[in-house]
Amino acid sequence: MPLTTRPLTRDDFDQSMGLIREAFGDLPPGATPPSADDFPRPGYHAFGTFDDDHLVARLATRGYHSWFGGSAVPSGGIAGVVVTAERRGTKLLDELFRVALDDGLRERGEA
C-alpha cells in the first residue's frame, strides 16, 4: 500500500503520542499528559504520513497572529516535526510539509 498523508484525527491520537514520545521523550514528572478528548485543540492542526495504518511521520501547525503595520495578520507556525527513527532520511517530510502548507496554513489564510 502506498504512503498516505492526511490530517490526524482523534483515532490517531495514541500513535501520534507514541511517535512524539519516541522523538522527544516522556513528559517531565508531574506534567499532565494530553488526552484524546482534548484533540484537536483550537488553532492546532496535526498532519501525519501513514505506511498502511502505521504513523511514520507527523507535524503540527499552530495558528498565531503577527503584527505588520499596526494590523494583526493571521500566521502559522510549524511544531512537533517527527519521523520514526527507521524512516529518517527517506524524504517523508516533503509530502507532509506540502499537505500542511497547502491544505492547512494557506487554506486558512495564514502566512
Side-chain angles (χ1 to χ4, degrees):
M1 180 176 218
L3 296 173
T4 56
T5 299
R6 60 171 175 76
L8 296 179
T9 68
R10 277 193 173 127
D11 292 339
D12 305 314
F13 181 80
D14 290 338
Q15 283 195 76
S16 182
M17 289 306 300
L19 196 52
I20 289 169
R21 280 191 300 279
E22 177 184 320
F24 300 116
D26 287 327
L27 291 171
T32 303
S35 164
D37 294 334
D38 300 328
F39 186 82
R41 297 180 307 226
Y44 180 91
H45 307 276
F47 299 86
T49 298
F50 292 81
D51 187 352
D52 287 324
D53 292 330
H54 183 68
L55 182 64
V56 294
R58 70 162 312 272
L59 67 77
T61 63
R62 298 192 62 178
Y64 298 97
H65 283 90
S66 300
W67 290 88
F68 291 99
S71 297
V73 177
S75 54
I78 303 290
V81 179
V82 181
V83 177
T84 82
E86 62 273 7
R87 300 297 290 265
R88 292 180 185 149
T90 62
K91 299 190 180 269
L92 289 176
L93 293 180
D94 292 356
E95 178 68 4
L96 190 53
F97 267 92
R98 188 198 64 73
V99 169
L101 293 174
D102 290 347
D103 298 342
L105 296 175
R106 290 185 184 121
E107 183 178 287
R108 290 186 302 278
E110 297 172 351

